[in-house]
Amino acid sequence: MGTRYRHADVLVVGAGPVGLATAWEVARRGRTVHVLEQFDVGHDKGSSAGLERQWRIQYSQEQWARLALRTLPLWRELESASGRELVHATGSLWFGRTGVATSEGEIGAAAAVLDRLDVPFEWLTAADIERRFGFAGLPADHEGFHQKDGGVIDVRGTLEALTELALRAGATVTEHVTVHAVEPDGTGVTVRTSLGDHRADTVVIAAGAFADTLLGLLGRPLDLHVFRMVSAYFAPRTPAFDLPTWYAFLEPEEPGINGSFYGFGRNPWTGSGLVRAAPDTELPSTATGSSRVDAAGIERLRRTESWVRDHLPGLVPKFTGASTCLAALPADPGRQFFLGSLHGQVPYGERVVVQSAGWAFKFVPSFGRLCAELALGLDGETHTGADGALVPGAVSW
Ligand SMILES: Cc1cc2nc3c(=O)[nH]c(=O)nc-3n(C[C@H](O)[C@H](O)[C@H](O)COP(=O)(O)OP(=O)(O)OC[C@H]3O[C@@H](n4cnc5c(N)ncnc54)[C@H](O)[C@@H]3O)c2cc1C
């Protein structure tokens, strides 16, 4: 990595999973593509810190459940091309109070979508959840469902697989180079970086929570809500104890503050034996990126310890390691992601493609393909629903 270049068919800003997936998709189509990353691949200052992400089909909105179903074969293709398992089916358990809506969704609406799409799931009472999965002390009116195809995505494995495949297909990745500006014109795009200027036919801004630094300069910032989240690892009391991935929908702690928790089972690929649990609460952040867990984060994790003590007796209720991660969601809660080109938004905007925000790891293979197709001007059937425009008004996803 680190090859110098001056021109590419496509230049990608950001070597997170979306940028790397885009690079692989462009390179395997025989076109030149370069990825510029301000830190290094696999750093922990963006939105892809940590080891695992939840894979789930259930969404409260049918189109995202359909997108998850369409993305699974692309994960399988990535697994087969890289020779490593990346999405492990451990099952996905959603429970708590129906009617409580978080940025994750809502139990009843998601179950209705699964029903409509003929995706199998089991509806469970609080007693079922306690008996089957080892939770305890749940209020009797809690309920939910288990969806057997849900699971956990290997974050580091995905980054490694995408990097290797992109490089093998001819992409180049340069680390420690910051893109300062993206300037489209009639014949291409000038990309101004800390290592000098570059030209490309089109640029894909896959800059995650940092996207607005560049889009602001273009006069089209996204309506991003950027915050930090914390999570921690807990030790099971017995070697046999395990969990599916889970999300507990709980009443807001106080108005506007999500009181829900989520977690994972034993990590299938590290064999560490620890399980991750986390509060789904938002901590303030600027988009500068920091991997330090501060006092506010520790306070959230103490609250998680006490929830674990009350409801997960199979775990020692004292966290062993903590981490933080930068998250970005569209500020409009009715929207899940931003993906599209700046066509019609800025002069020559069709030369700039953007993906940012959302619980997007599960969609990485789809988003990489969509960004590549938009950047190469292909009209892939997968982007039905995306209208090519990005910010206010005509936004795609
Ligand atoms: C705590 C937490 C839990 C999550 N849980 C889930 C989950 O269970 N399921 C799920 O599907 N998703 C989940 N997500 C979301 C998911 O992790 C993100 O959607 C995904 O990791 C984003 O990948 P990305 O490539 O868009 O961004 P990133 O990985 O942040 O990559 C963007 C890259 O661009 C680089 N960059 C930015 N600006 C510049 C610049 N000017 N010049 C050069 N480089 C630049 C950055 O350094 C960074 O490396 C979670 C996120 C968090 C924070």
Side-chain angles (χ1 to χ4, degrees):
M1 290 191 273
T3 309
R4 298 298 303 275
Y5 57 86
R6 286 293 158 199
H7 183 274
D9 293 330
V10 179
L11 201 144
V12 178
V13 184
V18 174
L20 291 167
T22 303
W24 180 42
E25 292 288 349
V26 172
R28 70 203 287 222
R29 287 165 173 75
R31 307 293 288 274
T32 53
V33 55
H34 302 295
V35 185
L36 302 177
E37 168 54 50
Q38 62 185 340
F39 303 121
D40 46 29
V41 177
H43 70 86
D44 61 2
K45 299 180 190 68
S47 297
S48 303
L51 297 180
E52 59 270 284
R53 291 293 184 273
Q54 296 201 352
W55 163 256
R56 63 180 160 96
I57 295 166
Q58 67 266 21
Y59 262 86
S60 298
Q61 302 89 354
E62 189 171 318
Q63 81 234 56
W64 310 129
R66 285 186 183 280
L67 182 62
L69 288 168
R70 286 209 305 272
T71 303
L72 192 53
L74 302 188
W75 276 111
R76 298 299 175 224
E77 191 185 334
L78 175 57
E79 289 176 327
S80 145
S82 63
R84 42 197 310 171
E85 189 174 357
L86 299 170
V87 180
H88 299 253
T90 59
S92 170
L93 174 68
W94 272 21
F95 68 94
R97 198 148 335 254
T98 51
V100 169
T102 73
S103 65
E104 202 75 356
E106 190 273 321
I107 300 172
V113 167
L114 291 176
D115 249 343
R116 281 205 295 282
L117 296 180
D118 272 335
V119 176
F121 67 93
E122 275 178 277
W123 191 258
L124 303 165
T125 63
D128 295 331
I129 293 161
E130 293 184 353
R131 195 182 60 252
R132 290 261 304 272
F133 300 106
F135 287 86
L138 301 179
D141 62 350
H142 275 199
E143 53 190 342
F145 62 83
H146 179 255
Q147 204 291 313
K148 68 178 175 49
D149 305 307
V152 54
I153 309 172
D154 176 350
V155 170
R156 304 289 112 203
T158 301
L159 289 169
E160 284 166 23
L162 287 169
T163 305
E164 197 184 307
L165 288 168
L167 293 177
R168 209 192 294 157
T172 30
V173 179
T174 304
E175 299 171 299
H176 305 291
V177 52
T178 302
V179 175
H180 293 308
V182 168
E183 298 166 0
D185 58 44
T187 57
V189 188
T190 299
V191 177
R192 306 210 184 273
T193 82
S194 53
L195 294 182
D197 295 350
H198 302 280
R199 287 284 290 175
D201 292 342
T202 48
V203 168
V204 175
I205 299 180
F210 306 91
D212 270 353
T213 313
L214 296 173
L215 291 167
L217 288 174
L218 280 167
R220 281 285 181 243
L222 299 170
D223 197 13
L224 283 184
H225 171 46
V226 177
F227 52 94
R228 279 180 310 116
M229 298 179 77
V230 285
S231 67
Y233 284 90
F234 293 82
R237 290 184 195 277
T238 62
F241 184 82
D242 204 357
L243 290 162
T245 62
W246 57 274
Y247 191 103
F249 291 80
L250 306 177
E251 305 290 358
E253 199 186 327
E254 16 178 306
I257 300 192
N258 188 355
S260 303
F261 295 93
Y262 69 96
F264 296 80
R266 287 168 188 270
N267 185 301
W269 59 90
T270 63
S272 84
L274 298 173
V275 307
R276 182 177 148 204
D280 188 8
T281 40
E282 302 176 2
L283 296 163
S285 177
T286 60
T288 51
S290 159
S291 45
R292 202 174 61 84
V293 180
D294 62 10
I298 296 292
E299 187 276 320
R300 295 283 98 189
L301 292 175
R302 295 284 171 234
R303 221 185 135 259
T304 310
E305 284 181 335
S306 95
W307 195 83
V308 164
R309 182 176 303 111
D310 294 344
H311 301 293
L312 274 169
L315 299 179
V316 178
K318 192 142 191 59
F319 69 83
T320 58
S323 61
T324 183
C325 187
L326 197 64
L329 292 177
D332 172 357
R335 189 169 278 169
Q336 290 278 341
F337 317 101
F338 293 109
L339 195 160
S341 84
L342 291 179
H343 176 68
Q345 306 293 320
V346 301
Y348 311 107
E350 62 281 2
R351 293 188 179 277
V352 181
V353 174
V354 179
Q355 197 288 313
S356 177
W359 305 129
F361 211 102
K362 66 182 78 59
F363 298 124
V364 157
S366 284
F367 285 0
R369 186 164 290 189
L370 286 165
C371 287
E373 287 174 348
L374 284 170
L376 295 174
L378 306 173
D379 197 11
E381 55 102 7
T382 40
H383 77 77
T384 315
D387 57 14
L390 184 69
V391 272
V395 178
S396 50
W397 310 346

PDB file of all heavy atoms in Angstrom, residues 278-299:
ATOM      1  N   ALA A 278     -23.680  -3.688  25.533  1.00  0.00           N
ATOM      2  CA  ALA A 278     -23.518  -2.238  25.428  1.00  0.00           C
ATOM      3  C   ALA A 278     -24.839  -1.527  25.627  1.00  0.00           C
ATOM      4  O   ALA A 278     -25.902  -2.077  25.328  1.00  0.00           O
ATOM      5  CB  ALA A 278     -22.949  -1.888  24.053  1.00  0.00           C
ATOM      6  N   PRO A 279     -24.783  -0.298  26.115  1.00  0.00           N
ATOM      7  CA  PRO A 279     -25.983   0.525  26.165  1.00  0.00           C
ATOM      8  C   PRO A 279     -26.176   1.179  24.804  1.00  0.00           C
ATOM      9  O   PRO A 279     -25.198   1.599  24.191  1.00  0.00           O
ATOM     10  CB  PRO A 279     -25.609   1.597  27.207  1.00  0.00           C
ATOM     11  CG  PRO A 279     -24.119   1.746  27.059  1.00  0.00           C
ATOM     12  CD  PRO A 279     -23.577   0.424  26.605  1.00  0.00           C
ATOM     13  N   ASP A 280     -27.410   1.254  24.327  1.00  0.00           N
ATOM     14  CA  ASP A 280     -27.627   1.931  23.043  1.00  0.00           C
ATOM     15  C   ASP A 280     -27.889   3.413  23.305  1.00  0.00           C
ATOM     16  O   ASP A 280     -28.936   3.944  22.956  1.00  0.00           O
ATOM     17  CB  ASP A 280     -28.794   1.290  22.278  1.00  0.00           C
ATOM     18  CG  ASP A 280     -28.903   1.863  20.863  1.00  0.00           C
ATOM     19  OD1 ASP A 280     -27.991   2.617  20.464  1.00  0.00           O
ATOM     20  OD2 ASP A 280     -29.898   1.573  20.174  1.00  0.00           O
ATOM     21  N   THR A 281     -26.930   4.036  23.967  1.00  0.00           N
ATOM     22  CA  THR A 281     -27.110   5.463  24.241  1.00  0.00           C
ATOM     23  C   THR A 281     -26.049   6.283  23.524  1.00  0.00           C
ATOM     24  O   THR A 281     -24.948   5.808  23.252  1.00  0.00           O
ATOM     25  CB  THR A 281     -27.057   5.785  25.749  1.00  0.00           C
ATOM     26  OG1 THR A 281     -26.042   5.009  26.353  1.00  0.00           O
ATOM     27  CG2 THR A 281     -28.368   5.521  26.418  1.00  0.00           C
ATOM     28  N   GLU A 282     -26.431   7.513  23.231  1.00  0.00           N
ATOM     29  CA  GLU A 282     -25.581   8.396  22.440  1.00  0.00           C
ATOM     30  C   GLU A 282     -24.817   9.331  23.362  1.00  0.00           C
ATOM     31  O   GLU A 282     -25.397   9.940  24.249  1.00  0.00           O
ATOM     32  CB  GLU A 282     -26.453   9.221  21.493  1.00  0.00           C
ATOM     33  CG  GLU A 282     -27.282   8.341  20.575  1.00  0.00           C
ATOM     34  CD  GLU A 282     -28.227   9.148  19.686  1.00  0.00           C
ATOM     35  OE1 GLU A 282     -28.195  10.404  19.762  1.00  0.00           O
ATOM     36  OE2 GLU A 282     -28.979   8.515  18.931  1.00  0.00           O
ATOM     37  N   LEU A 283     -23.520   9.426  23.134  1.00  0.00           N
ATOM     38  CA  LEU A 283     -22.689  10.360  23.882  1.00  0.00           C
ATOM     39  C   LEU A 283     -22.214  11.448  22.933  1.00  0.00           C
ATOM     40  O   LEU A 283     -21.996  11.187  21.751  1.00  0.00           O
ATOM     41  CB  LEU A 283     -21.483   9.620  24.480  1.00  0.00           C
ATOM     42  CG  LEU A 283     -21.856   8.562  25.523  1.00  0.00           C
ATOM     43  CD1 LEU A 283     -20.704   7.609  25.768  1.00  0.00           C
ATOM     44  CD2 LEU A 283     -22.266   9.246  26.823  1.00  0.00           C
ATOM     45  N   PRO A 284     -22.056  12.666  23.449  1.00  0.00           N
ATOM     46  CA  PRO A 284     -21.697  13.752  22.544  1.00  0.00           C
ATOM     47  C   PRO A 284     -20.348  13.530  21.876  1.00  0.00           C
ATOM     48  O   PRO A 284     -19.469  12.916  22.441  1.00  0.00           O
ATOM     49  CB  PRO A 284     -21.648  14.986  23.440  1.00  0.00           C
ATOM     50  CG  PRO A 284     -21.801  14.509  24.818  1.00  0.00           C
ATOM     51  CD  PRO A 284     -22.179  13.081  24.832  1.00  0.00           C
ATOM     52  N   SER A 285     -20.237  14.024  20.672  1.00  0.00           N
ATOM     53  CA  SER A 285     -18.970  13.912  19.981  1.00  0.00           C
ATOM     54  C   SER A 285     -18.858  14.978  18.912  1.00  0.00           C
ATOM     55  O   SER A 285     -19.842  15.402  18.347  1.00  0.00           O
ATOM     56  CB  SER A 285     -18.871  12.564  19.292  1.00  0.00           C
ATOM     57  OG  SER A 285     -17.682  12.490  18.571  1.00  0.00           O
ATOM     58  N   THR A 286     -17.635  15.357  18.633  1.00  0.00           N
ATOM     59  CA  THR A 286     -17.385  16.048  17.384  1.00  0.00           C
ATOM     60  C   THR A 286     -16.880  14.966  16.454  1.00  0.00           C
ATOM     61  O   THR A 286     -16.556  13.879  16.885  1.00  0.00           O
ATOM     62  CB  THR A 286     -16.304  17.123  17.552  1.00  0.00           C
ATOM     63  OG1 THR A 286     -15.123  16.458  17.977  1.00  0.00           O
ATOM     64  CG2 THR A 286     -16.732  18.168  18.550  1.00  0.00           C
ATOM     65  N   ALA A 287     -16.817  15.257  15.169  1.00  0.00           N
ATOM     66  CA  ALA A 287     -16.401  14.223  14.228  1.00  0.00           C
ATOM     67  C   ALA A 287     -14.886  14.121  14.116  1.00  0.00           C
ATOM     68  O   ALA A 287     -14.353  13.675  13.123  1.00  0.00           O
ATOM     69  CB  ALA A 287     -17.019  14.493  12.863  1.00  0.00           C
ATOM     70  N   THR A 288     -14.164  14.511  15.152  1.00  0.00           N
ATOM     71  CA  THR A 288     -12.708  14.464  15.066  1.00  0.00           C
ATOM     72  C   THR A 288     -12.173  13.049  15.261  1.00  0.00           C
ATOM     73  O   THR A 288     -11.092  12.732  14.820  1.00  0.00           O
ATOM     74  CB  THR A 288     -12.064  15.365  16.136  1.00  0.00           C
ATOM     75  OG1 THR A 288     -12.646  15.033  17.386  1.00  0.00           O
ATOM     76  CG2 THR A 288     -12.293  16.824  15.823  1.00  0.00           C
ATOM     77  N   GLY A 289     -12.956  12.200  15.931  1.00  0.00           N
ATOM     78  CA  GLY A 289     -12.520  10.819  16.097  1.00  0.00           C
ATOM     79  C   GLY A 289     -11.600  10.656  17.294  1.00  0.00           C
ATOM     80  O   GLY A 289     -10.568  11.274  17.398  1.00  0.00           O
ATOM     81  N   SER A 290     -12.016   9.801  18.244  1.00  0.00           N
ATOM     82  CA  SER A 290     -11.170   9.512  19.393  1.00  0.00           C
ATOM     83  C   SER A 290     -11.537   8.126  19.881  1.00  0.00           C
ATOM     84  O   SER A 290     -12.693   7.729  19.840  1.00  0.00           O
ATOM     85  CB  SER A 290     -11.437  10.533  20.499  1.00  0.00           C
ATOM     86  OG  SER A 290     -11.025  10.004  21.737  1.00  0.00           O
ATOM     87  N   SER A 291     -10.554   7.353  20.302  1.00  0.00           N
ATOM     88  CA  SER A 291     -10.862   6.000  20.746  1.00  0.00           C
ATOM     89  C   SER A 291     -10.833   5.892  22.272  1.00  0.00           C
ATOM     90  O   SER A 291     -10.838   4.813  22.831  1.00  0.00           O
ATOM     91  CB  SER A 291      -9.894   5.017  20.106  1.00  0.00           C
ATOM     92  OG  SER A 291      -8.588   5.511  20.178  1.00  0.00           O
ATOM     93  N   ARG A 292     -10.832   7.031  22.968  1.00  0.00           N
ATOM     94  CA  ARG A 292     -10.748   7.032  24.429  1.00  0.00           C
ATOM     95  C   ARG A 292     -12.144   6.937  25.061  1.00  0.00           C
ATOM     96  O   ARG A 292     -13.071   7.618  24.622  1.00  0.00           O
ATOM     97  CB  ARG A 292     -10.096   8.348  24.887  1.00  0.00           C
ATOM     98  CG  ARG A 292      -9.467   8.306  26.256  1.00  0.00           C
ATOM     99  CD  ARG A 292      -8.730   9.618  26.504  1.00  0.00           C
ATOM    100  NE  ARG A 292      -9.625  10.784  26.475  1.00  0.00           N
ATOM    101  CZ  ARG A 292     -10.350  11.199  27.513  1.00  0.00           C
ATOM    102  NH1 ARG A 292     -10.275  10.569  28.660  1.00  0.00           N
ATOM    103  NH2 ARG A 292     -11.133  12.260  27.397  1.00  0.00           N
ATOM    104  N   VAL A 293     -12.312   6.070  26.064  1.00  0.00           N
ATOM    105  CA  VAL A 293     -13.588   6.005  26.780  1.00  0.00           C
ATOM    106  C   VAL A 293     -13.496   6.994  27.942  1.00  0.00           C
ATOM    107  O   VAL A 293     -12.676   6.838  28.842  1.00  0.00           O
ATOM    108  CB  VAL A 293     -13.854   4.577  27.322  1.00  0.00           C
ATOM    109  CG1 VAL A 293     -15.179   4.529  28.066  1.00  0.00           C
ATOM    110  CG2 VAL A 293     -13.845   3.566  26.181  1.00  0.00           C
ATOM    111  N   ASP A 294     -14.333   8.023  27.929  1.00  0.00           N
ATOM    112  CA  ASP A 294     -14.238   9.054  28.961  1.00  0.00           C
ATOM    113  C   ASP A 294     -15.184   8.743  30.133  1.00  0.00           C
ATOM    114  O   ASP A 294     -15.832   7.693  30.178  1.00  0.00           O
ATOM    115  CB  ASP A 294     -14.517  10.443  28.365  1.00  0.00           C
ATOM    116  CG  ASP A 294     -15.933  10.520  27.795  1.00  0.00           C
ATOM    117  OD1 ASP A 294     -16.733   9.576  28.029  1.00  0.00           O
ATOM    118  OD2 ASP A 294     -16.242  11.523  27.127  1.00  0.00           O
ATOM    119  N   ALA A 295     -15.276   9.678  31.073  1.00  0.00           N
ATOM    120  CA  ALA A 295     -16.066   9.441  32.289  1.00  0.00           C
ATOM    121  C   ALA A 295     -17.535   9.196  31.966  1.00  0.00           C
ATOM    122  O   ALA A 295     -18.185   8.336  32.581  1.00  0.00           O
ATOM    123  CB  ALA A 295     -15.922  10.650  33.225  1.00  0.00           C
ATOM    124  N   ALA A 296     -18.066   9.914  30.973  1.00  0.00           N
ATOM    125  CA  ALA A 296     -19.478   9.712  30.616  1.00  0.00           C
ATOM    126  C   ALA A 296     -19.683   8.293  30.075  1.00  0.00           C
ATOM    127  O   ALA A 296     -20.698   7.636  30.357  1.00  0.00           O
ATOM    128  CB  ALA A 296     -19.897  10.749  29.572  1.00  0.00           C
ATOM    129  N   GLY A 297     -18.698   7.815  29.328  1.00  0.00           N
ATOM    130  CA  GLY A 297     -18.785   6.459  28.795  1.00  0.00           C
ATOM    131  C   GLY A 297     -18.713   5.425  29.916  1.00  0.00           C
ATOM    132  O   GLY A 297     -19.477   4.442  29.930  1.00  0.00           O
ATOM    133  N   ILE A 298     -17.831   5.638  30.864  1.00  0.00           N
ATOM    134  CA  ILE A 298     -17.706   4.694  31.989  1.00  0.00           C
ATOM    135  C   ILE A 298     -19.017   4.675  32.784  1.00  0.00           C
ATOM    136  O   ILE A 298     -19.496   3.598  33.183  1.00  0.00           O
ATOM    137  CB  ILE A 298     -16.536   5.104  32.923  1.00  0.00           C
ATOM    138  CG1 ILE A 298     -15.207   5.022  32.167  1.00  0.00           C
ATOM    139  CG2 ILE A 298     -16.505   4.243  34.188  1.00  0.00           C
ATOM    140  CD1 ILE A 298     -14.753   3.625  31.777  1.00  0.00           C
ATOM    141  N   GLU A 299     -19.628   5.831  32.945  1.00  0.00           N
ATOM    142  CA  GLU A 299     -20.901   5.883  33.693  1.00  0.00           C
ATOM    143  C   GLU A 299     -21.961   5.037  32.983  1.00  0.00           C
ATOM    144  O   GLU A 299     -22.712   4.287  33.606  1.00  0.00           O
ATOM    145  CB  GLU A 299     -21.339   7.351  33.810  1.00  0.00           C
ATOM    146  CG  GLU A 299     -22.552   7.596  34.702  1.00  0.00           C
ATOM    147  CD  GLU A 299     -23.882   7.388  33.979  1.00  0.00           C
ATOM    148  OE1 GLU A 299     -23.995   7.791  32.806  1.00  0.00           O
ATOM    149  OE2 GLU A 299     -24.800   6.787  34.583  1.00  0.00           O
TER     150      GLU A 299
END
